[in-house]
Amino acid sequence: MTFSIVAANADRSEFGVAVASKFLAAGSVVPAARAGVGAIATQAWANTAYKSDGLALLTNGANAQEMVDTLTKLDGQREQRQIGVVDAHGTSATYTGKECTDWAGGVAGDGYAIQGNILEGSRVIALMEEAWLGSDPREPLARRLLEALAAGDRAGGDKRGRQSAALFVVGDEGGYGGGDDVIVDLRVDDHPTPIPELARLLTIHELLFGKPNPADLMPLSGPLAEEVRSLLGAQGYIAGDVTTAELDRVLATWAGVENLEERLVPGRLDPVLLDHLRRLSKAEADA
């Protein structure tokens, strides 16, 4: 009833799962991941205990295949289960029980495992793998996972139809505010086109929570400072003194309202913030 991809990025600093299904809120059931440990997808007649138990096994040194073997050996309903896993070293494994509803199966390679059941056919998995292997390893892991998921959807995906999709990514550098390891946790629980909707949410997430690229940061001075002051003024945020300190203060107030505080760097400006300010001003001018 589900298709998913579990994968790690090239340097194993991020792990994640993308999943879609004709099932309400598949994202609440299927994915689990922990930075420095790995990622798991449990599906078909999903055994949700595989998530915590699997992560515990990986944390204690089991590799991907050993985790799958241990969990399924102890499970009397293993023939109705499906699992995909990638461990901290990028070793992967996929398992499909003999009683999973056709078409069901999976494929695993270096740093990824792809699996599905009740699918239109094996082509769903094949095209997901092709999309994953053809994607740029320098892209964010969340984007690569979503591209693979979309490829499976275009190939027919779950043969019963569409309902939910989810994206879960963890990483060494942590998520919002650095308080945990969750980089992306997005779910579309009930929607006629869940994967395009998930893509829309990821674009918003990247704007709000993406970290600025140090190489792209611009000094907040000169003509740029004047433009920012003017743009902030158009939004009702008055910066009376065009000093870096004053602009930092007013920009931080504006960014906090817009939920863009993760992109602030004192004395510098993220081009993403500038583009957003310009779009807001243009939209108001056109209204």
Side-chain angles (χ1 to χ4, degrees), residues 28 39 67 84 95 102 127 164 180 190 198 215 281:
S28 69
M67 187 214 85
Y95 168 86
D102 284 338
L127 291 184
S164 67
D180 60 24
D190 186 25
L198 188 62
S281 296

Side-chain angles (χ1 to χ4, degrees), residues 46-141:
N47 184 339
T48 56
Y50 281 2
K51 295 189 287 186
S52 59
D53 292 348
L55 289 174
L57 286 166
L58 295 177
T59 299
N60 290 326
N63 65 31
Q65 190 61 56
E66 290 168 342
M67 187 214 85
V68 169
D69 292 344
T70 299
L71 293 178
T72 54
K73 182 179 180 180
L74 298 172
D75 188 349
Q77 295 171 308
R78 58 185 168 272
E79 298 303 343
Q80 296 170 305
R81 314 295 194 193
Q82 193 169 50
I83 320 166
V85 58
V86 172
D87 64 30
H89 306 289
T91 306
S92 63
T94 189
Y95 168 86
T96 299
K98 295 177 182 178
E99 296 176 18
C100 290
T101 305
D102 284 338
W103 189 91
V107 63
D110 182 25
Y112 69 92
I114 302 168
Q115 45 284 314
N117 59 92
I118 319 184
L119 302 184
E120 284 289 352
S122 61
R123 182 172 171 80
V124 175
I125 300 301
L127 291 184
M128 288 178 70
E129 182 178 36
E130 181 180 292
W132 170 258
L133 294 175
S135 62
D136 187 345
R138 295 168 297 182
E139 281 190 350
L141 178 60

